[in-house]
Amino acid sequence: MAGDDRNDATWLQRLKAAYVAGYYRTEAAEDEQMPFPWQNHTCGDCPFWMQDICLVDEVPCPANAHTCRYFDRPHRAEARALIRRRRWDVLRKLE
């Protein structure tokens, strides 16, 4: 049983070290570890950012600001839907 505790402690230490290094997937093989999607990225890297404006929230946002949830691929469809809905709302008001 002591061996299991030692393995658990070692695994936990490796998990913490990987997290501190910026990895969210801590595989046994270090070359299979994956960085957080937003790591080393800013709003200027986001597909929904243009000329210091966040197209999703429609607010000023500097290029060096931290990314929001819409930077992650799983949330991009939601961002596109928000942008599309706001554009339709503007068009309806113009009619």
Side-chain angles (χ1 to χ4, degrees), residues 36-39 46-48 67-77 79:
F36 288 105
W38 59 87
Q39 185 178 357
C46 183
F48 306 112
T67 59
C68 67
R69 61 181 268 143
Y70 301 114
F71 183 80
D72 293 340
R73 290 191 188 280
H75 300 286
R76 289 185 181 178

Side-chain angles (χ1 to χ4, degrees), residues 27-73:
E27 300 292 334
E30 291 186 13
D31 59 331
E32 292 183 31
Q33 293 177 345
M34 301 176 81
F36 288 105
W38 59 87
Q39 185 178 357
N40 301 321
H41 292 284
T42 62
C43 283
D45 300 312
C46 183
F48 306 112
W49 179 88
M50 184 186 305
Q51 299 175 350
D52 289 342
I53 300 288
C54 173
L55 299 177
V56 178
D57 295 328
E58 294 182 339
V59 294
C61 187
N64 61 351
H66 293 290
T67 59
C68 67
R69 61 181 268 143
Y70 301 114
F71 183 80
D72 293 340
R73 290 191 188 280

Side-chain angles (χ1 to χ4, degrees), residues 13-30:
Q13 286 176 337
R14 290 186 65 207
L15 174 66
K16 288 179 181 179
Y19 179 79
V20 168
Y23 295 99
Y24 71 95
R25 184 174 169 195
T26 54
E27 300 292 334
E30 291 186 13

Side-chain angles (χ1 to χ4, degrees), residues 1-20:
M1 194 74 159
D4 291 339
D5 290 343
R6 208 172 349 192
N7 288 340
D8 289 345
T10 301
W11 178 84
L12 188 57
Q13 286 176 337
R14 290 186 65 207
L15 174 66
K16 288 179 181 179
Y19 179 79
V20 168

